[in-house]
Amino acid sequence: MNMSCTLSNISQRLHEVNMLLSTCEQGAFSFAQALLLSLFYRDFCDTNTVVEEAESLAEKDAEQLLKFSSALFSESETYLSLDKTSLQVVNFEALFEEYLKPFELRYEEAKAASTELWRKYSALNNRLDFLPLDSEEYMKLSVECDAKNAEYDTAHAQTDHLYNEWQQERSRYFCVYCFKPMFLDVLVERLHGIAESILSDINQMKEDKP
């Protein structure tokens, strides 16, 4: 991560959160909206990173730090002033499960189809065991059995792919399932305090200059 990457992004990301909260309607919260909030918390919950970047930037470019901190202070002030009662009724766990449901259903459908192909292949293979190896019926059934096995292999590979896709989506967006609005409140309160302290320190440094 480049230095000041967090500082340069956090204000814009918080602005997006504020815009969402100021325009969203109660009872009409989508997964995408829930994701925006939970990703903000996930990406910036380690406030030590913000402090470390601020300390480093203070030595290199105090004016840039002033710009970033002023923006963060302003956006955090806005967030803290917003009415967020509509968030209290949002079921983030349900939104997460609803988002994942199509991935799960695609996997289950593919799994069922793959299982049925395996059943048919096994039945053909079992019939082969009772036929003379040099019989015409054996030869014909063997070709059919090989084709069914190849069909199963393709279906099985697709089933594995869909399962991995489902699990990847689950891991990628599990932050939505875990998210609670109070987490964001606590984080923004902390960020507001950090920005306020940085601005105070910068102003003090300016006053101390001869």
Side-chain angles (χ1 to χ4, degrees):
M1 177 183 290
N2 294 329
M3 193 55 66
S4 80
C5 179
T6 296
L7 286 172
S8 62
N9 291 333
I10 193 169
S11 298
Q12 177 58 36
R13 294 277 299 278
L14 185 52
H15 177 72
E16 293 169 2
V17 169
N18 289 338
M19 289 297 294
L20 168 61
L21 295 178
S22 62
T23 58
C24 68
E25 298 179 4
Q26 187 166 347
F29 218 74
S30 68
F31 175 79
Q33 292 171 320
L35 182 61
L36 188 148
L37 299 182
S38 59
L39 285 179
F40 180 87
Y41 178 78
R42 186 194 71 180
D43 293 345
F44 301 112
C45 63
D46 182 8
T47 53
N48 288 333
T49 300
V50 178
V51 174
E52 290 169 3
E53 290 189 9
E55 290 174 347
S56 177
L57 190 58
E59 300 174 358
K60 301 174 182 178
D61 193 340
E63 286 303 314
Q64 188 78 313
L65 178 59
L66 177 61
K67 176 184 174 182
F68 290 157
S69 301
S70 297
L72 178 56
F73 183 80
S74 175
E75 292 298 340
S76 57
E77 281 267 290
T78 299
Y79 175 89
L80 295 173
S81 69
L82 291 172
D83 179 8
K84 297 178 285 292
T85 54
S86 61
L87 282 184
Q88 305 310 314
V89 298
V90 177
N91 189 331
F92 289 88
E93 293 180 9
L95 287 172
F96 173 75
E97 296 294 354
E98 183 181 349
Y99 169 77
L100 278 184
K101 199 64 181 176
F103 294 93
E104 181 182 3
L105 289 176
R106 283 195 291 271
Y107 161 69
E108 292 294 347
E109 289 173 1
K111 180 183 176 183
S114 178
T115 300
E116 179 61 17
L117 285 171
W118 176 257
R119 187 190 65 77
K120 291 179 178 179
Y121 163 72
S122 297
L124 291 173
N125 198 47
N126 288 337
R127 284 175 58 192
L128 283 175
D129 292 339
F130 295 96
L131 294 175
L133 295 179
D134 57 352
S135 67
E136 183 178 344
E137 186 179 1
Y138 181 92
M139 299 296 183
K140 182 179 178 181
L141 192 59
S142 179
V143 171
E144 186 179 349
C145 188
D146 288 344
K148 189 62 66 177
N149 187 35
E151 191 178 352
Y152 164 75
D153 286 343
T154 299
H156 183 67
Q158 176 66 3
T159 300
D160 286 345
H161 168 73
L162 291 174
Y163 177 79
N164 290 334
E165 183 181 56
W166 172 31
Q167 294 305 309
Q168 285 170 3
E169 289 298 299
R170 185 176 185 85
S171 297
R172 183 179 294 123
Y173 298 130
F174 193 66
C175 57
V176 175
Y177 182 88
C178 300
F179 182 77
K180 297 289 185 295
M182 63 177 293
F183 296 168
L184 194 55
D185 292 342
V186 172
L187 173 59
V188 177
E189 283 273 11
R190 193 173 300 160
L191 292 172
H192 182 265
I194 291 171
E196 188 174 29
S197 295
I198 292 172
L199 292 174
S200 177
D201 290 345
I202 291 175
N203 289 332
Q204 187 63 50
M205 288 168 58
K206 288 182 176 180
E207 291 176 3
D208 291 343
K209 282 187 177 181

